[in-house]
Amino acid sequence: MNILRPDSPVMNFLSTVADLIILNLLCLICCIPIVTIGAAYTAKYYVAMKIVRGEGTGVIIPFFKSFASNFKQATIIWIIQLIAIAVIVIDWLFTVSNGWSETVFAFKLGIILISAFVLMLTICIFPALARYKMTLPQSYKMALTLSFIRFIPLMLIVLLFAGSVIACIWYAQWFPIIYIFCSCTITYFVSLVFIKQFDKLEKAQADKIKALQEQVDYNPEVDAVGNVSIASAKKDVKELEEELNKEEEKKEDKSGNKVTRFFRTEKEKLIDLSNKQKLEYFAQYYLPVVLLIIGLLVAVVWYSIDIYKSNMLVAKGGLINCQISDEGKDYLTTDFLAWGGYKKSRTAVIMDSDEFDIKTDIDFEESYLDLTLRAAIMTGEVDYLILREDAIDNYGTTDYFQDISAIAASDKFTEDDYYYYVMTEEEIAKSKQGKSINDFFSTGKKNYDPVPIALKLNDEVEKRLGLDEQYTYYIAFANSIGASKNDDYAKLISYLFDL
């Protein structure tokens, strides 16, 4: 079989992937105005369900056709959901800023349940709107019904979404690849879940109509004037459906467990198929699932190895505007681990200026370097930094570095040994006005006193590290969620300064 033929399973699969990539990028672009997110997601799932069904009618034209036809209703729904999401985000920020452990259990449980409820509605309502023409109340009723009916698959999709967000943050440098892979995968499986459910609903409706037609002399024109009551025949229709279901169950072989029955059913489907047809059947129904499982296994192994390495890493340092000798690297890594009595499985790393390419200059500073450093700290790329004095002058804020007095023993150092971050009058004024949500919910008195964020390296430490002794250098510890291992940092300070 020629795999390069346009109708081959391989080319069909690659075509589906390409369509999903284009569709997700198109949806992302149309989401930029924010208010259009509802219409963009409705259009995305309108096209995605056609792609998954194999109804190859293109991507761009059907997308904008659905975008335009559903814009008004989808936008109203999205604004309602956006308000609900905003309230939930504010509640979470309020809870976190006041301390999770100190918040009343009933409030925490309530915010978790409400968040899950709103999330499930948001996931369900736009695919339903893409499939059916409904009023606003009907849309929410359908979304609520689907949330309960398909709860487990939707929760798995939510976990996949959460994993993709974590992956994008954890591996920020690979964000485009991770985003494309995860968005296409999520779109495919959300579409698959809803297609199966919509098919069941439509089949059930068709069966009811068929049963009704057989039960009564059905005439839409007569029914319209009320000569025949469809509602009165519901009981008879239900009984007829139960009888039909019993007959189907009698025909079906129920021996064995679900797994053996599944393989027996699939085997029966494949008996009369040629090898080419079997391959096409596998590519259409099982290849995406197999690829997803492989992808999930790779992700789990990858995350596990990465988490293990992170847990084994005692401290990872970076250099800004300075270079240390090879002996200095050994001093900060292998010698420090031996001195601290760490197990052989523990590691320490110091990245030189080529690996950690963030520099500054006394007279000139590029604004993108601020963003680069912020991203490196927020993603936990570094635990501590050794900086030349001009670098600490440029980057020395509490946004980047921890209060080092919580790490270094204050009785061992003088005020001249610390580098203090002092808020400007403009920063103090903005903080007092409550410019951020955290400031708005903050109930304690703000402290505007200078904060020690770095320690000056003495001549002895500079000599051990092989630094150019004509400059002054500081050590500072990253202010990020993943960089708060104060016991290890305190050991490093004690090791450097012979405390």
Side-chain angles (χ1 to χ4, degrees):
M1 181 181 66
N2 187 357
I3 62 172
L4 298 179
R5 286 178 55 190
D7 59 344
S8 69
V10 174
M11 295 305 293
N12 284 333
F13 174 75
L14 293 176
S15 175
T16 299
V17 172
D19 286 343
L20 289 175
I21 291 173
I22 295 169
L23 178 62
N24 277 280
L25 291 177
L26 194 60
C27 178
L28 181 63
I29 293 169
C30 292
C31 285
I32 292 174
I34 305 299
V35 74
T36 58
I37 289 178
Y41 266 79
T42 303
K44 181 174 85 165
Y45 284 111
Y46 172 80
V47 178
M49 285 189 284
K50 284 183 172 293
I51 292 172
V52 175
R53 284 178 180 273
E55 300 170 1
T57 56
V59 174
I60 298 176
I61 293 175
F63 179 90
F64 284 108
K65 181 181 176 182
S66 176
F67 185 92
S69 63
N70 293 298
F71 182 82
K72 182 178 178 181
Q73 189 170 1
T75 302
I76 293 171
I77 291 172
W78 168 241
I79 290 172
I80 295 171
Q81 294 303 109
L82 186 60
I83 293 170
I85 292 169
V87 171
I88 290 170
V89 169
I90 292 173
D91 286 340
W92 275 105
L93 290 172
F94 175 77
T95 305
V96 173
S97 64
N98 283 276
W100 180 259
S101 58
E102 298 176 4
T103 304
V104 179
F105 174 77
F107 184 83
K108 291 190 289 188
L109 180 62
I111 192 174
I112 291 171
L113 293 177
I114 292 172
S115 300
F117 175 72
V118 171
L119 182 60
M120 298 292 273
L121 277 183
T122 306
I123 292 173
C124 294
I125 198 163
F126 295 113
L129 187 62
R131 182 69 175 175
Y132 304 111
K133 292 290 183 183
M134 297 178 290
T135 63
L136 191 65
Q138 288 173 338
S139 300
Y140 276 96
K141 183 178 179 181
M142 171 69 84
L144 184 61
T145 303
L146 292 171
S147 298
F148 285 107
I149 293 175
R150 308 300 295 172
F151 179 78
I152 294 177
L154 290 173
M155 283 306 300
L156 293 175
I157 289 168
V158 168
L159 292 176
L160 180 60
F161 173 78
S164 67
V165 172
I166 294 170
C168 288
I169 295 172
W170 197 286
Y171 303 102
Q173 66 273 28
W174 295 338
F175 172 79
I177 297 174
I178 295 172
Y179 171 78
I180 290 173
F181 172 78
C182 292
S183 61
C184 290
T185 304
I186 291 170
T187 301
Y188 179 85
F189 282 97
V190 168
S191 302
L192 196 62
V193 167
F194 284 110
I195 283 172
K196 289 182 177 180
Q197 189 58 47
F198 292 154
D199 286 348
K200 286 182 180 179
L201 292 174
E202 290 163 12
K203 183 178 183 300
Q205 187 65 23
D207 289 343
K208 286 182 180 180
I209 292 174
K210 183 179 178 182
L212 183 60
Q213 290 173 336
E214 293 175 355
Q215 187 73 12
V216 298
D217 186 12
Y218 181 72
N219 186 329
E221 294 181 359
V222 173
D223 291 343
V225 297
N227 291 337
V228 176
S229 174
I230 295 177
S232 63
K234 282 185 177 180
K235 184 177 179 181
D236 295 334
V237 170
K238 186 176 180 181
E239 291 175 357
L240 181 60
E241 286 179 348
E242 289 176 355
E243 290 177 6
L244 293 172
N245 290 334
K246 287 178 182 178
E247 291 178 5
E248 291 293 328
E249 289 176 1
K250 288 178 182 178
K251 295 177 183 177
E252 186 178 353
D253 186 359
K254 292 289 185 177
S255 61
N257 54 39
K258 289 184 178 180
V259 176
T260 56
R261 288 200 299 271
F262 170 78
F263 281 108
R264 185 167 59 244
T265 303
E266 292 302 301
K267 187 176 179 181
E268 290 172 357
K269 290 179 182 177
L270 298 173
I271 287 176
D272 297 327
L273 299 180
S274 65
N275 290 334
K276 178 183 176 181
Q277 291 172 327
K278 289 177 182 178
L279 186 59
E280 290 175 347
Y281 180 82
F282 174 80
Q284 183 176 357
Y285 291 99
Y286 295 111
L287 185 58
V289 178
V290 170
L291 291 176
L292 176 65
I293 292 172
I294 293 172
L296 289 175
L297 290 175
V298 170
V300 169
V301 173
W302 192 352
Y303 277 134
S304 300
I305 293 172
D306 210 36
I307 291 170
Y308 173 78
K309 287 181 177 179
S310 297
N311 290 334
M312 292 299 101
L313 186 63
V314 176
K316 186 176 185 179
L319 306 172
I320 298 183
N321 283 16
C322 59
Q323 286 282 5
I324 63 175
S325 63
D326 291 337
E327 292 79 7
K329 289 182 180 180
D330 291 337
Y331 178 73
L332 283 171
T333 54
T334 53
D335 295 348
F336 166 59
L337 294 173
W339 175 89
Y342 290 99
K343 296 179 180 179
K344 291 183 178 180
S345 56
R346 305 300 297 274
T347 59
V349 177
I350 182 75
M351 299 181 290
D352 60 30
S353 57
D354 293 329
E355 296 173 284
F356 191 72
D357 190 16
I358 297 176
K359 302 179 181 67
T360 187
D361 189 88
I362 294 174
D363 300 321
F364 181 77
E365 179 187 357
E366 291 283 358
S367 59
Y368 78 87
L369 294 175
D370 273 327
L371 298 175
T372 305
L373 180 59
R374 184 180 292 274
I377 288 174
M378 291 297 291
T379 56
E381 187 177 349
V382 289
D383 295 321
Y384 69 91
L385 285 167
I386 294 175
L387 311 92
R388 201 170 67 189
E389 57 185 340
D390 53 313
I392 193 68
D393 286 338
N394 277 318
Y395 300 127
T397 72
T398 51
D399 288 340
Y400 293 151
F401 305 124
Q402 297 185 52
D403 181 348
I404 205 165
S405 64
I407 301 169
S410 58
D411 59 333
K412 302 294 183 181
F413 302 96
T414 66
E415 286 193 7
D416 292 337
D417 294 324
Y418 292 107
Y419 180 93
Y420 286 89
Y421 167 67
V422 181
M423 293 182 70
T424 64
E425 292 182 2
E426 184 180 354
E427 289 172 331
I428 292 173
K430 284 184 178 180
S431 179
K432 286 181 177 179
Q433 291 171 7
K435 291 292 184 182
S436 69
I437 293 178
N438 286 335
D439 289 334
F440 178 78
F441 284 116
S442 178
T443 55
K445 184 180 178 181
K446 295 184 178 69
N447 183 13
Y448 301 109
D449 296 334
V451 180
I453 58 173
L455 265 177
K456 186 189 298 182
L457 302 182
N458 57 38
D459 294 341
E460 185 62 31
V461 176
E462 290 179 1
K463 186 176 179 180
R464 291 173 186 167
L465 298 179
L467 292 165
D468 187 344
E469 296 182 32
Q470 66 174 315
Y471 295 104
T472 300
Y473 301 90
Y474 292 85
I475 182 170
F477 291 87
N479 186 16
S480 69
I481 296 173
S484 58
K485 301 169 284 188
N486 287 354
D487 291 342
D488 292 326
Y489 299 164
K491 274 189 178 183
L492 181 59
I493 293 293
S494 298
Y495 171 70
L496 283 174
F497 292 93
D498 294 325
L499 301 179

